[in-house]
Amino acid sequence: MKVTIVGAGNVGATCADVISYRGIASEVVLLDIKEGFAEGKALDIMQCATNTGFNTKVSGVTNDYSKTAGSDVVVITSGIPRKPGMTREELIGINAGIVKTVAENVLKYSPDTIIVVVSNPMDTMTYLALKSTGLPKNRIIGMGGALDSSRFRTYLSLALDKPANDISAMVIGGHGDTTMIPLTRLASYNGIPVTEFLSEEVLQKVAADTMVGGATLTGLLGTSAWYAPGASVAYLVDSILNDQKKMIACSVFVEGEYGQQDICIGVPCIIGKNGVEEILDIQLNDQEKALFAKSADAVRGMNDALKSILV
């Protein structure tokens, strides 16, 4: 199985490292426009093989899409990262042209690939990739919900003082500081609702911390996070390549699900060898429905900025 990662920055390189270390794919290609950058990252990763025991072939190329031919999955991380004080929405004008060009180029050599979009603003870039390529909606997936849900579980584990891997929790809605919806009502610790252990006040703080999880790290690091985003992409790619059919919150194109049309937004999905194999229509309460509708309106508003690009 072959995976191409376009953009060899912190997120792309971390994704390549995790995929290689875990043996998720037999081959990983890193591509970047900066001369020698992807080649250097790939060589650095390959030099870990004897010490960590992986056999994945990792290579890097400078803007040569022919080397990506036959990729089963292509991950797009291209674009500028957020800087302190910058919202994901402010990245639209800069990153839209990049994502559109990348998607078109990878499809020349891998027409049957599944595309995973990481570039921000992620929901809008996922929508752009879908509309500009004309691919079936199951083959364009935005990664954001996987990362947001991981952050949610982390904050819950800190509040509970219990292992994050014993916690089940999901974030739906737009991948933005004000648009994501941590489903505290449905979160559980080993099958027991977390509401049995945590007060409403604590749960509200956990939800609030989750929503600004990315911005918090940007403020601390001076740039976007990369370890958790890279690992989240690898987790999603693993479910595709190995047909694991995991339920993962992803930004996908909805056509009536959750009362929404013609946008890509985070919803629970079954992810397998065909990409998005099913969108799960879980029952939201009235408050959650209202939050989801508000989130969808915000995402739809950002999509309006794409009209000139999609013409």
Side-chain angles (χ1 to χ4, degrees):
M1 293 290 187
K2 182 175 180 178
V3 176
T4 286
I5 301 168
V6 183
N10 288 333
V11 174
T14 300
C15 177
D17 186 48
V18 175
I19 289 175
S20 303
Y21 179 75
R22 292 183 55 201
I24 292 170
S26 57
E27 181 178 1
V28 174
V29 176
L30 272 170
L31 184 148
D32 203 276
I33 61 172
K34 184 179 179 181
E35 186 71 37
F37 191 61
E39 290 88 339
K41 290 289 186 77
L43 185 58
D44 194 14
I45 293 171
M46 281 294 287
Q47 289 171 357
C48 298
T50 55
N51 294 323
T52 56
F54 71 79
N55 295 303
T56 302
K57 176 185 176 182
V58 186
S59 60
V61 296
T62 301
N63 220 30
D64 183 0
Y65 283 87
S66 69
K67 302 298 185 183
T68 71
S71 295
D72 297 284
V73 176
V74 172
V75 178
I76 301 177
T77 72
S78 305
I80 67 166
R82 280 203 295 176
K83 295 178 173 60
M86 179 184 283
T87 66
R88 291 182 176 93
E89 292 78 6
E90 290 172 324
L91 297 176
I92 291 177
I94 301 170
N95 287 348
I98 297 172
V99 170
K100 184 174 183 289
T101 300
V102 169
E104 291 169 349
N105 282 329
V106 297
L107 287 173
K108 291 177 184 177
Y109 298 97
S110 303
D112 299 320
T113 195
I114 292 170
I115 294 177
V116 176
V117 179
V118 183
S119 307
N120 276 316
M122 192 271 310
D123 300 291
T124 302
M125 295 301 103
T126 304
Y127 183 81
L128 171 66
L130 178 74
K131 292 295 184 178
S132 64
T133 63
L135 288 181
K137 64 179 184 178
N138 62 296
R139 289 172 52 195
I140 301 286
I141 307 172
M143 178 280 299
L147 171 60
D148 297 333
S149 298
S150 177
R151 287 172 171 162
F152 186 25
R153 291 171 66 188
T154 298
Y155 284 116
L156 283 169
S157 75
L158 293 172
L160 289 163
D161 193 24
K162 299 293 188 297
N165 286 325
D166 284 350
I167 296 168
S168 177
M170 181 178 294
V171 175
I172 61 172
H175 180 58
D177 300 345
T178 60
T179 56
M180 66 180 74
I181 306 162
L183 294 174
T184 55
R185 179 178 63 89
L186 300 179
S188 64
Y189 164 59
N190 277 336
I192 303 172
V194 296
T195 52
E196 296 287 324
F197 306 99
L198 301 175
S199 68
E200 180 61 28
E201 181 182 1
V202 170
L203 284 172
Q204 287 180 3
K205 184 179 186 307
V206 166
D209 288 344
T210 299
M211 293 175 72
V212 296
T216 299
L217 288 166
T218 300
L220 292 169
L221 298 168
T223 186
S224 295
W226 59 90
Y227 294 122
S232 297
V233 179
Y235 179 76
L236 181 58
V237 170
D238 193 10
S239 194
I240 296 169
L241 292 184
N242 294 299
D243 196 26
Q244 293 173 337
K245 302 190 187 303
K246 289 178 179 175
M247 182 173 67
I248 306 174
C250 298
S251 183
V252 298
F253 189 69
V254 291
E255 296 178 289
E257 295 91 350
Y258 296 88
Q260 300 300 324
Q261 295 277 355
D262 195 35
I263 58 169
C264 291
I265 192 168
V267 291
C269 300
I270 301 300
I271 303 296
K273 64 181 179 181
N274 298 310
V276 181
E277 302 204 341
E278 183 182 357
I279 295 175
L280 300 177
D281 195 0
I282 61 175
Q283 295 302 307
L284 303 179
N285 62 28
D286 290 342
Q287 181 184 20
E288 292 159 350
K289 288 178 182 177
L291 288 172
F292 193 87
K294 182 179 179 181
S295 178
D297 286 343
V299 171
R300 191 172 287 106
M302 286 191 291
N303 290 351
D304 290 342
L306 295 175
K307 289 180 180 178
S308 61
I309 297 170
L310 290 170
V311 171

